[in-house]
Amino acid sequence: MNKNFEVVIGLEVHVQLNTKTKIFCSCPTSFGDEPNKNTCPVCLGLPGALPVMNKEAVKKAVMLAKAIKAKINKFSTFERKNYFYPDLPKGYQISQFVVPIIEHGEIILDSGKKIGITRAHLEEDAGKNIHDGEISKVDLNRAGTPLLEIVSEPDMRSSDEAIEYLKKLHAIVKYLGISDANMQEGSFRCDANVSIRPRGQKEYGTRVELKNINSFRFIKQAIEYEVERQIEAWEEGEYETEVVQETRLFDSKTGETRSMRGKEESADYRYFPEPDLLPLEVPDEFFDIEIPELPNQKKDRYINEFKLKEYDAGVLTAEPELAAFFELMIKFGVEPQLANRWLAIELLGRLNKAGISIENSPVNAKKLALIAIREKEAVISAAGGKKVLDLLMQEDIEVDAAIEKLGLKQVSDESAIEKIVDEVLGANEDKVAEYKAGKEKLFGFFVGQVMKASRGKANPQIVNKILRSKLG
Ligand code: ADP
Ligand code: MG
Ligand code: ZN
């Protein structure tokens, strides 16, 4: 980054709503079916076919509005956005242009900064072009899938703020259950608009739009590359004169962005009212829809109720699956701090390394809770618990069976430990005398000897206790 320039970022996110059927017809929205199986005259764009609005999509849009404290428009409009592309057989996309269903929302970053959401509107997705050597094929299964396009204000001032905004929006959408929000499958897609301006300048600089980047990491890379490129162009004195508003593509192999096309203006699309649909009226009962607890609320609750640190609460609530896992562990009787350690550090560490998501964890909440409980009961040590978890990651085995198999059961029986202590002290009378004469650091030596004699299985707390009482 450069201290002479300020970065300005606005994001457009397309969220695929997880309705059972498409937005204007009753074809299923399922992913991965045989090409063109889920189509009908409406989503194929055959002449004379009439669209019918899907009420579920409206409901899901309203849920998002509630979550981002946005205004829900009782009436909104549909327009045709005209452009040609092989995966868009009608030659236009039905979208909302003049009046969107949602306006004026916000997402609050951890710093307390508010990022404005200008609008969110409903529209239909296009199909997919599949390029296969010499030929190109078109699959229209996705054509007509409902999208909610969420447009932010140009309020972000760094790639970090942009990513934080995106992660928060992603979490909200998942908590609401309105989309799978799977970035690889394209059900949560982001275009980043990036410009820079000399510090202190009021007007925004010319923006460049970076299209459809499919991971948080790539979005951050693309923005950072673009900022550097624009700063260079500006410093060479070419920026305002030679660089035009354009759409650029990010290449994840080189980490660079390259020009795709000049940026079209809305006038290029010749928007006009969709004659086959009435204005969208949000049913009265939707205005009182209840939505589930949101990530920020859950995070505050974890801090207050479970006394977790802000950072830990943030990690645990970032994904609803993770929060649900944590809450199950609590339900099985694990203390919050211990559950946090076993889940956020031990299990997540192993899952990340193996590239497995929490949903596909080979170790479920019940098993992880039992490891934590066995540690708490001093049946195993913390180090032993990690070995148990390692084994559970590899094998479908019960926790107690794993403890048995690995021979990790600690000896907590006081008389058994006392016997070992007596043997150790008896064999080291000279050292006992030195200890009693004031060489206190020998205490560690005795602990070590007892642990060794028990082959690491003696409960260290009990060893300490007995040694203290014997040595005075
Ligand atoms: P379009 O469909 O032409 O991309 P939209 O209005 O849908 O236009 O989206 C514009 C997006 O670009 C918004 O997210 C807005 O915040 C952002 N934006 C507008 N001007 C700038 C700018 N100068 N720098 C960065 N982002 C900008
Ligand atoms: Mg755009
Ligand atoms: Zn259809």
Side-chain angles (χ1 to χ4, degrees):
M1 297 287 156
N2 183 303
K3 61 181 182 339
N4 300 323
F5 294 96
E6 183 176 48
V7 177
V8 174
I9 302 164
L11 300 172
E12 295 161 82
V13 173
H14 285 88
V15 172
Q16 224 175 58
L17 299 175
N18 56 359
T19 54
K20 286 196 192 66
T21 57
K22 294 185 180 179
I23 186 166
F24 300 125
C25 63
S26 51
C27 292
T29 52
S30 45
F31 183 84
D33 283 335
E34 178 196 326
N36 297 307
K37 184 173 160 234
N38 306 325
T39 55
C40 74
V42 173
C43 54
L44 287 173
L46 301 186
L50 291 176
V52 178
M53 183 65 213
N54 180 338
K55 208 173 164 185
E56 270 307 293
V58 176
K59 188 174 175 183
K60 292 184 170 178
V62 168
M63 288 173 76
L64 179 83
K66 298 240 160 184
I68 60 171
K69 298 198 167 64
K71 170 171 181 258
I72 302 160
N73 286 321
K74 174 78 182 156
F75 290 96
S76 55
T77 60
F78 285 108
E79 281 80 24
R80 290 186 179 181
K81 180 179 183 181
N82 297 285
Y83 63 97
F84 172 80
Y85 216 62
D87 61 13
L88 187 76
K90 292 201 296 289
Y92 61 83
Q93 177 192 30
I94 303 178
S95 182
Q96 297 197 294
F97 181 62
V98 178
V99 185
I101 183 167
I102 296 170
E103 287 178 286
H104 313 308
E106 66 186 34
I107 280 182
I108 298 171
L109 303 184
D110 289 342
S111 63
K113 177 173 172 175
K114 265 185 205 169
I115 305 298
I117 291 177
T118 320
R119 54 186 272 149
H121 57 260
L122 287 162
E123 61 186 25
E124 56 181 338
D125 208 345
K128 264 184 190 161
N129 295 320
I130 301 156
H131 304 293
D132 184 3
E134 298 264 287
I135 46 169
S136 288
K137 301 170 183 169
V138 180
D139 176 8
L140 293 173
N141 278 348
R142 199 180 68 180
T145 298
L147 295 179
L148 190 61
E149 177 174 346
I150 303 157
V151 182
S152 86
E153 291 290 313
D155 284 348
M156 287 149 277
R157 293 291 173 269
S158 67
S159 58
D160 286 335
E161 281 189 1
I163 299 304
E164 192 187 341
Y165 165 86
L166 276 178
K167 286 192 170 166
K168 293 216 180 276
L169 182 59
H170 188 253
I172 287 172
V173 162
K174 286 190 78 175
Y175 268 68
L176 293 173
I178 61 175
S179 170
D180 306 336
N182 183 322
M183 295 182 90
Q184 272 76 48
E185 288 178 6
S187 49
F188 187 95
R189 317 198 277 267
C190 171
D191 300 343
N193 296 272
V194 180
S195 67
I196 59 167
R197 61 180 171 189
R199 278 196 195 279
Q201 177 180 306
K202 260 192 121 161
E203 304 78 47
Y204 289 132
T206 305
R207 73 173 151 125
V208 156
E209 183 187 49
L210 307 172
K211 273 272 174 219
N212 282 334
I213 318 167
N214 70 356
S215 80
F216 294 123
R217 190 163 61 90
F218 289 157
I219 292 165
K220 187 167 157 69
Q221 268 183 28
I223 292 173
E224 284 168 6
Y225 177 86
E226 187 55 30
V227 168
E228 286 308 314
R229 193 187 70 85
Q230 292 185 12
I231 289 175
E232 259 172 50
W234 195 297
E235 284 178 340
E236 281 164 19
E238 290 174 356
Y239 187 78
E240 290 292 44
T241 50
E242 286 187 20
V243 177
V244 285
Q245 184 166 316
E246 63 178 349
T247 297
R248 294 177 74 88
L249 277 183
F250 175 69
D251 182 341
S252 61
K253 289 199 189 75
T254 62
E256 296 174 352
T257 65
R258 61 168 189 274
S259 184
M260 176 165 105
R261 57 169 190 248
K263 171 73 186 138
E264 53 296 284
E265 298 290 337
S266 62
D268 298 334
Y269 292 119
R270 298 286 180 270
Y271 279 100
F272 70 87
E274 166 59 61
D276 292 335
L277 283 168
L278 288 168
L280 172 60
E281 179 178 2
V282 176
D284 285 337
E285 73 265 21
F286 281 6
F287 283 83
D288 311 315
I289 276 178
E290 300 266 347
I291 56 169
E293 185 180 39
L294 293 169
N296 275 352
Q297 296 167 328
K298 206 184 259 302
K299 183 176 160 190
D300 289 344
R301 183 162 69 79
Y302 281 16
I303 294 169
N304 296 325
E305 192 178 323
F306 299 138
K307 309 285 174 256
L308 291 178
K309 290 204 196 84
E310 177 166 359
Y311 174 82
D312 296 334
V315 170
L316 291 173
T317 55
E319 284 179 61
E321 292 86 357
L322 199 57
F325 198 114
F326 175 74
E327 287 176 28
L328 267 175
M329 289 182 75
I330 301 285
K331 222 168 144 186
F332 289 129
V334 183
E335 287 168 6
Q337 300 294 344
L338 200 57
N340 175 58
R341 197 184 90 219
W342 279 105
L343 175 55
I345 299 171
E346 299 302 336
L347 182 61
L348 275 193
R350 286 165 176 76
L351 291 175
N352 287 342
K353 223 173 174 177
I356 304 172
S357 64
I358 186 77
E359 297 99 292
N360 299 318
S361 170
V363 181
N364 62 25
K366 197 170 176 186
K367 284 186 176 178
L368 194 64
L370 195 54
I371 297 179
I373 289 168
R374 291 291 180 259
E375 183 199 333
K376 178 83 189 165
E377 294 166 345
V379 172
I380 50 175
S381 63
K386 292 182 196 179
K387 290 185 189 144
V388 171
L389 182 53
D390 285 333
L391 183 62
L392 263 60
M393 290 291 293
Q394 306 302 329
E395 240 179 76
D396 186 15
I397 181 172
E398 292 304 320
V399 172
D400 287 335
I403 293 172
E404 202 65 43
K405 182 170 174 181
L406 296 169
L408 290 169
K409 206 174 214 152
Q410 292 194 113
V411 177
S412 296
D413 172 356
E414 299 207 5
S415 61
I417 294 176
E418 189 172 358
K419 214 173 129 214
I420 302 174
V421 169
D422 286 342
E423 280 165 21
V424 167
L425 297 183
N428 294 283
E429 275 170 2
D430 49 339
K431 295 230 165 50
V432 174
E434 283 178 51
Y435 179 85
K436 288 193 169 156
K439 202 169 171 192
E440 282 185 15
K441 59 176 192 232
L442 277 173
F443 193 78
F445 165 80
F446 296 122
V447 173
Q449 290 299 305
V450 175
M451 292 308 289
K452 201 169 151 197
S454 75
R455 273 169 292 129
K457 288 185 190 168
N459 178 335
Q461 269 136 20
I462 297 177
V463 172
N464 268 281
K465 194 182 91 181
I466 294 178
L467 272 171
R468 291 231 179 272
S469 76
K470 298 244 168 202
L471 291 168

Short mmCIF file of all heavy atoms in Angstrom, two decimals, residues 22 24-28 38-44 143, ligand 3:
data_model
loop_
_atom_site.label_atom_id
_atom_site.label_comp_id
_atom_site.label_asym_id
_atom_site.label_seq_id
_atom_site.Cartn_x
_atom_site.Cartn_y
_atom_site.Cartn_z
N LYS A 22 -37.02 -22.98 -9.52
CA LYS A 22 -36.43 -21.77 -10.10
C LYS A 22 -37.30 -20.53 -9.82
O LYS A 22 -38.41 -20.64 -9.33
CB LYS A 22 -36.24 -21.97 -11.61
CG LYS A 22 -35.19 -23.04 -11.92
CD LYS A 22 -34.93 -23.14 -13.41
CE LYS A 22 -33.88 -24.23 -13.70
NZ LYS A 22 -33.61 -24.36 -15.16
N PHE A 24 -38.82 -18.28 -11.78
CA PHE A 24 -40.03 -17.97 -12.54
C PHE A 24 -40.73 -19.20 -13.11
O PHE A 24 -41.60 -19.09 -13.96
CB PHE A 24 -39.71 -16.99 -13.68
CG PHE A 24 -39.16 -15.68 -13.20
CD1 PHE A 24 -37.94 -15.20 -13.68
CD2 PHE A 24 -39.85 -14.91 -12.26
CE1 PHE A 24 -37.42 -13.98 -13.24
CE2 PHE A 24 -39.33 -13.70 -11.81
CZ PHE A 24 -38.12 -13.23 -12.30
N CYS A 25 -40.29 -20.42 -12.73
CA CYS A 25 -40.95 -21.63 -13.23
C CYS A 25 -40.78 -22.70 -12.17
O CYS A 25 -40.14 -22.47 -11.15
CB CYS A 25 -40.35 -22.08 -14.56
SG CYS A 25 -38.60 -22.55 -14.45
N SER A 26 -41.32 -23.90 -12.39
CA SER A 26 -41.26 -24.89 -11.32
C SER A 26 -40.20 -25.97 -11.57
O SER A 26 -40.25 -27.04 -10.98
CB SER A 26 -42.64 -25.52 -11.11
OG SER A 26 -43.12 -25.96 -12.35
N CYS A 27 -39.22 -25.66 -12.43
CA CYS A 27 -38.11 -26.60 -12.62
C CYS A 27 -37.27 -26.66 -11.36
O CYS A 27 -37.09 -25.65 -10.69
CB CYS A 27 -37.23 -26.13 -13.77
SG CYS A 27 -38.04 -26.23 -15.37
N PRO A 28 -36.71 -27.86 -11.03
CA PRO A 28 -35.86 -27.95 -9.84
C PRO A 28 -34.54 -27.21 -10.02
O PRO A 28 -34.06 -27.03 -11.14
CB PRO A 28 -35.63 -29.45 -9.68
CG PRO A 28 -35.94 -30.06 -10.99
CD PRO A 28 -36.90 -29.15 -11.70
N ASN A 38 -33.25 -30.07 -16.32
CA ASN A 38 -34.19 -29.27 -15.54
C ASN A 38 -34.58 -27.99 -16.28
O ASN A 38 -34.22 -26.89 -15.88
CB ASN A 38 -33.57 -28.92 -14.18
CG ASN A 38 -33.10 -30.17 -13.45
OD1 ASN A 38 -33.73 -31.22 -13.55
ND2 ASN A 38 -31.98 -30.07 -12.74
N THR A 39 -35.30 -28.18 -17.35
CA THR A 39 -35.69 -27.01 -18.15
C THR A 39 -37.14 -27.13 -18.59
O THR A 39 -37.72 -28.24 -18.58
CB THR A 39 -34.82 -26.89 -19.43
OG1 THR A 39 -34.90 -28.11 -20.15
CG2 THR A 39 -33.38 -26.59 -19.09
N CYS A 40 -37.74 -26.01 -18.94
CA CYS A 40 -39.11 -25.97 -19.44
C CYS A 40 -39.22 -24.76 -20.36
O CYS A 40 -38.27 -23.99 -20.47
CB CYS A 40 -40.09 -25.86 -18.26
SG CYS A 40 -40.12 -24.22 -17.51
N PRO A 41 -40.36 -24.54 -21.02
CA PRO A 41 -40.47 -23.39 -21.93
C PRO A 41 -40.09 -22.05 -21.28
O PRO A 41 -39.50 -21.19 -21.94
CB PRO A 41 -41.94 -23.43 -22.35
CG PRO A 41 -42.30 -24.89 -22.29
CD PRO A 41 -41.55 -25.42 -21.08
N VAL A 42 -40.39 -21.89 -19.99
CA VAL A 42 -40.10 -20.59 -19.36
C VAL A 42 -38.60 -20.36 -19.25
O VAL A 42 -38.08 -19.33 -19.69
CB VAL A 42 -40.76 -20.49 -17.96
CG1 VAL A 42 -40.32 -19.20 -17.24
CG2 VAL A 42 -42.28 -20.53 -18.08
N CYS A 43 -37.86 -21.33 -18.67
CA CYS A 43 -36.44 -21.08 -18.47
C CYS A 43 -35.63 -21.32 -19.74
O CYS A 43 -34.46 -20.93 -19.81
CB CYS A 43 -35.89 -21.84 -17.26
SG CYS A 43 -36.17 -23.60 -17.28
N LEU A 44 -36.25 -21.92 -20.75
CA LEU A 44 -35.58 -22.02 -22.06
C LEU A 44 -35.82 -20.75 -22.87
O LEU A 44 -35.20 -20.54 -23.90
CB LEU A 44 -36.11 -23.22 -22.85
CG LEU A 44 -35.68 -24.60 -22.38
CD1 LEU A 44 -36.42 -25.69 -23.16
CD2 LEU A 44 -34.18 -24.78 -22.50
N ALA A 143 -30.13 -21.95 -15.67
CA ALA A 143 -30.89 -20.78 -16.15
C ALA A 143 -32.18 -20.65 -15.36
O ALA A 143 -32.96 -21.60 -15.26
CB ALA A 143 -31.19 -20.93 -17.64
ZN ZN B 3 -38.17 -24.07 -16.14
#
